Amino acid sequence: MRIISRKTLRDFYEKHADAKAPLEVWFHEAVAAEWKSPADIKRRYPSADVLPGNRVDFNIKGNTYRLIVKIHYNTSILFIRFVGTHADYDRIDAEKI
């Protein structure tokens, strides 16, 4: 997968150092992945929530943080739409961000 934008992850873990390792692991796994459908993601990440609009909500660091991505399966491009704490997550609409 091609991921846009890694900078969003870096900006987040500069403020939340404990998120760095889990986000980097997720990033490298996602880059190597060949996700063609939500089922492909659920096989690797059973706790991920598939949302409308080709969005997926991942639990990061044992559900301490949330990561929302939008995936264009046909082009293998993944857009990072949100990364944050649960408090941050509660203030957004995950289906529209």
Side-chain angles (χ1 to χ4, degrees), residues 74-93:
N74 60 332
T75 59
S76 296
I77 298 175
L78 184 151
F79 297 89
I80 296 173
R81 304 296 298 151
F82 169 85
V83 60
T85 65
H86 275 276
D88 297 333
Y89 180 81
D90 289 342
R91 291 190 293 268
I92 63 154
D93 183 344

Side-chain angles (χ1 to χ4, degrees), residues 41-74:
I41 296 169
K42 291 293 281 183
R43 274 192 285 281
R44 172 60 187 99
Y45 295 97
S47 65
D49 294 320
V50 176
L51 306 172
N54 289 331
R55 286 176 170 74
V56 180
D57 178 355
F58 292 93
N59 298 318
I60 303 295
K61 194 181 176 266
N63 206 20
T64 301
Y65 302 110
R66 304 300 280 273
L67 172 65
I68 300 173
V69 303
K70 181 171 180 154
I71 301 175
H72 291 215
Y73 295 100
N74 60 332

Side-chain angles (χ1 to χ4, degrees), residues 12 21 35 67:
F12 184 77
W35 294 327
L67 172 65

